[in-house]
Amino acid sequence: MREALKTDAEEVLLEAPVDERGLLERLAGLHPRQRDLFLASRVAVGDAYVRPGSPLQGLEAGVDIISPISGG
Amino acid sequence: MADQSHPAGEAVSLSQAPLDAAAMRAAASDPGAGAILVFEGTVRDHSEGLTGVVALEYEAHGSMALKILAGIVADARAAFPLRKAAVAHRLGRVELGEPTIVIAVSAAHRDEAYRASRYLIDRIKHEAPIWKREICADGTSAWSRGCTAEVHR
């Protein structure tokens, strides 16, 4: 994802609380060419995946977008 | 990225250096163990729709990966009567045939060791924020498609 977007970080203004899906949809809207990648990703805050459907909190410190993983 | 270990608790690590399966086996040794199982994932020469793979290159979200690995090992300890468990995952370029991950577990009986090892590798593949690029003999490379991470915690 870092290579696809050619950046390590991006600042996004959120006008209302969002959950994981809402944030990924927002990012997908900002980067339509990477839409599928964002929608297959997960959001992590403080080194932990957020629970799907939970409102995102602690966003001031930033979140990590975890694109599809392939370890092992 | 320098080699990293979980700061406390479970024996998990991310390493830029080749993994030492013998050392992992020794770490899992325990007087109460009737079975020690060492699983090595290795670099193979092909992937989905791809032949001529000569190496893999791994990247990780280091701090998060260590936390996730430690949590998975802790869950395995809770789910199975293990004596010891250790996980080491490679980072950086790993050549054909070399281990990419080593999982060593010990238990009083073989069944728990087999089941725990399978449990660990399955969860690691579905949860750890680690990515690999497949490098082919012709110099081309591509990130593995991978899977959307699962959320267990």
Side-chain angles (χ1 to χ4, degrees):
Chain A
M1 179 173 286
R2 198 177 54 222
E3 288 181 8
L5 297 177
K6 297 183 173 60
T7 182
D8 279 338
E10 180 170 340
E11 197 163 312
V12 175
L13 180 63
L14 298 170
E15 292 165 353
V18 294
D19 62 6
E20 176 183 51
R21 187 75 186 173
L23 178 59
L24 294 174
E25 290 274 7
R26 175 73 190 278
L27 291 168
L30 293 172
H31 301 279
R33 293 176 68 177
Q34 306 304 332
R35 179 176 178 79
D36 290 347
L37 187 56
F38 275 110
L39 297 185
S41 296
R42 307 236 52 137
V43 175
V45 177
D47 283 350
Y49 292 115
V50 302
R51 290 232 161 252
S54 305
L56 295 180
Q57 297 176 329
L59 301 186
E60 300 76 15
V63 304
D64 293 310
I65 305 301
I66 308 295
S67 61
I69 56 175
S70 51
Chain B
M1 183 188 290
D3 291 359
Q4 302 168 62
S5 299
H6 195 249
E10 304 297 350
V12 298
S13 62
L14 300 171
S15 174
Q16 292 281 350
L19 301 180
D20 185 344
M24 295 282 289
R25 186 211 176 277
S29 178
D30 184 277
I36 298 175
L37 192 63
V38 179
F39 168 81
E40 288 184 53
T42 57
V43 179
R44 64 171 180 248
D45 65 0
H46 64 280
S47 181
E48 234 175 278
L50 196 63
T51 57
V53 174
V54 295
L56 299 176
E57 193 169 292
Y58 283 91
E59 288 188 11
H61 181 319
S63 59
M64 182 175 171
L66 287 171
K67 188 174 169 184
I68 295 278
L69 292 175
I72 293 170
V73 171
D75 287 349
R77 286 182 180 283
F80 305 97
L82 296 177
R83 307 300 295 203
K84 290 182 178 168
V87 172
H89 200 297
R90 269 300 303 272
L91 297 179
R93 183 176 170 118
V94 190
E95 304 296 333
L96 187 66
E98 287 187 346
T100 59
I101 184 170
V102 178
I103 296 172
V105 296
S106 59
H109 305 286
R110 67 182 182 281
D111 186 49
E112 289 94 69
Y114 275 115
R115 288 193 293 135
S117 181
R118 179 63 186 257
Y119 172 93
L120 285 163
I121 186 62
D122 285 351
R123 282 197 56 190
I124 289 166
K125 289 182 82 73
H126 287 100
E127 296 178 48
I130 299 172
W131 298 270
K132 70 178 166 223
R133 184 201 294 272
E134 294 160 327
I135 301 166
C136 294
D138 63 5
T140 60
S141 68
W143 289 104
S144 176
R145 190 180 303 164
C147 63
T148 300
E150 294 178 4
V151 178
H152 278 256
R153 289 173 164 263

Coordinates of all heavy atoms in Angstrom, one line a residue, chain B residues 13 19 23 55 57 79 93 127 132 145 148 151-153:
Chain B
S13 N 10.0 -13.5 18.1 CA 11.0 -12.6 17.6 C 10.8 -12.4 16.1 O 10.2 -13.3 15.4 CB 12.4 -13.1 17.9 OG 12.6 -14.4 17.3
L19 N 17.2 -17.9 10.4 CA 16.6 -18.6 11.6 C 17.4 -19.8 11.9 O 17.8 -20.6 11.1 CB 15.1 -18.8 11.4 CG 14.2 -17.6 11.1 CD1 12.8 -18.0 10.9 CD2 14.4 -16.6 12.2
A23 N 18.4 -24.1 17.5 CA 18.3 -23.3 18.7 C 16.9 -23.2 19.2 O 16.6 -23.2 20.4 CB 18.9 -21.9 18.4
A55 N 13.4 -16.1 -4.2 CA 13.5 -15.5 -2.8 C 12.2 -14.8 -2.5 O 11.4 -14.5 -3.3 CB 14.7 -14.5 -2.8
E57 N 10.9 -11.5 0.2 CA 11.4 -10.4 1.0 C 10.3 -10.0 1.9 O 9.2 -9.7 1.4 CB 11.8 -9.3 0.1 CG 12.6 -8.2 0.8 CD 13.2 -7.2 -0.2 OE1 14.1 -7.6 -1.0 OE2 12.7 -6.1 -0.2
A79 N -4.9 -22.7 25.3 CA -5.8 -23.7 24.6 C -5.2 -25.2 24.7 O -6.0 -26.1 24.6 CB -6.0 -23.3 23.2
R93 N 15.3 -10.3 3.0 CA 15.3 -11.2 1.9 C 15.7 -12.6 2.4 O 16.6 -12.8 3.2 CB 16.4 -10.8 0.9 CG 16.4 -11.7 -0.3 CD 17.4 -11.2 -1.4 NE 17.6 -12.2 -2.4 CZ 17.3 -12.0 -3.7 NH1 16.8 -10.9 -4.1 NH2 17.5 -12.9 -4.6
E127 N -3.2 -13.3 11.0 CA -3.3 -12.1 11.9 C -2.1 -11.2 11.9 O -2.2 -10.0 12.2 CB -3.6 -12.6 13.3 CG -5.0 -13.2 13.5 CD -5.2 -13.7 14.9 OE1 -5.0 -13.0 15.8 OE2 -5.6 -14.9 15.0
K132 N 5.0 -10.2 2.4 CA 6.1 -10.7 1.6 C 6.0 -10.3 0.1 O 4.9 -10.3 -0.4 CB 6.2 -12.2 1.7 CG 5.1 -13.0 1.1 CD 5.4 -14.5 1.3 CE 4.1 -15.3 0.9 NZ 3.8 -16.4 1.9
R145 N -0.5 -11.5 -2.7 CA -1.8 -11.0 -2.6 C -2.3 -11.1 -1.2 O -3.0 -10.1 -0.7 CB -2.8 -11.8 -3.5 CG -4.1 -11.1 -3.7 CD -5.0 -12.0 -4.6 NE -4.4 -12.1 -5.9 CZ -4.8 -13.0 -6.8 NH1 -5.8 -13.8 -6.5 NH2 -4.3 -13.1 -8.0
T148 N -7.1 -10.7 4.0 CA -7.5 -9.6 5.0 C -7.2 -10.2 6.4 O -7.6 -11.3 6.7 CB -8.9 -9.3 4.8 OG1 -9.1 -8.8 3.4 CG2 -9.4 -8.2 5.8
V151 N -9.6 -10.6 13.0 CA -9.5 -9.9 14.3 C -10.0 -10.9 15.3 O -11.1 -11.3 15.3 CB -10.4 -8.6 14.3 CG1 -10.3 -8.0 15.7 CG2 -9.9 -7.7 13.3
H152 N -9.1 -11.4 16.2 CA -9.4 -12.3 17.3 C -9.5 -11.7 18.6 O -10.1 -12.2 19.5 CB -8.4 -13.5 17.3 CG -8.7 -14.5 16.3 ND1 -9.2 -15.7 16.6 CD2 -8.5 -14.5 15.0 CE1 -9.3 -16.4 15.5 NE2 -8.9 -15.7 14.5
R153 N -8.9 -10.5 18.8 CA -8.8 -9.9 20.2 C -9.5 -8.6 20.2 O -9.6 -7.9 19.3 CB -7.3 -9.7 20.6 CG -6.6 -11.0 20.8 CD -5.2 -10.8 21.0 NE -4.7 -12.0 21.6 CZ -4.5 -12.2 23.0 NH1 -4.7 -11.2 23.8 NH2 -4.0 -13.3 23.4

